[in-house]
Amino acid sequence: MDNPEMQRFLQQKAMMNEMVGKLTSVCWDKCITSAPGSKFSSRESTCLTNCAQRFLDMSVMIAKRFEMK
C-alpha cells in the first residue's frame, strides 16, 4: 500500500475504532451498575451521555494540545 492518503485514512480509522472501544468500556463500567434491561434507566442514560461527552471533550483537548507542539 503505497498511497499515503490511504495509509493516513486507515491510521485515523484505527484510532477512531480504538477511541470508541475505550469510550464504550469506560462509560459502560462507570454507568451500568446492574444487569441491563431492555432499556437504560434515566440515570444510566444521563450518565452515559455525560460520560461520552466528557470523554470526547478530553480527546479534543488532548488532540489540540498535541497540535500545538
Side-chain angles (χ1 to χ4, degrees):
M1 207 179 287
D2 293 335
N3 185 339
E5 286 182 33
M6 180 60 84
Q7 287 179 342
R8 189 169 37 256
F9 169 77
L10 292 174
Q11 287 173 336
Q12 289 172 342
K13 185 174 188 251
M15 286 173 42
M16 186 61 91
N17 286 341
E18 183 179 343
M19 184 188 308
V20 169
K22 284 181 182 177
L23 181 144
T24 302
S25 178
V26 167
C27 293
W28 183 271
D29 290 346
K30 176 181 170 75
C31 299
I32 309 302
T33 56
S34 61
S38 60
K39 292 184 356 181
F40 293 126
S41 70
S42 62
R43 185 197 67 76
E44 291 169 332
S45 183
T46 300
C47 181
L48 288 167
T49 299
N50 291 337
C51 181
Q53 188 61 56
R54 282 193 305 273
F55 189 94
L56 294 173
D57 288 347
M58 277 308 262
S59 297
V60 168
M61 188 177 85
I62 290 167
K64 286 182 180 179
R65 189 72 108 143
F66 279 118
E67 286 176 3
M68 293 185 342
K69 290 185 177 190

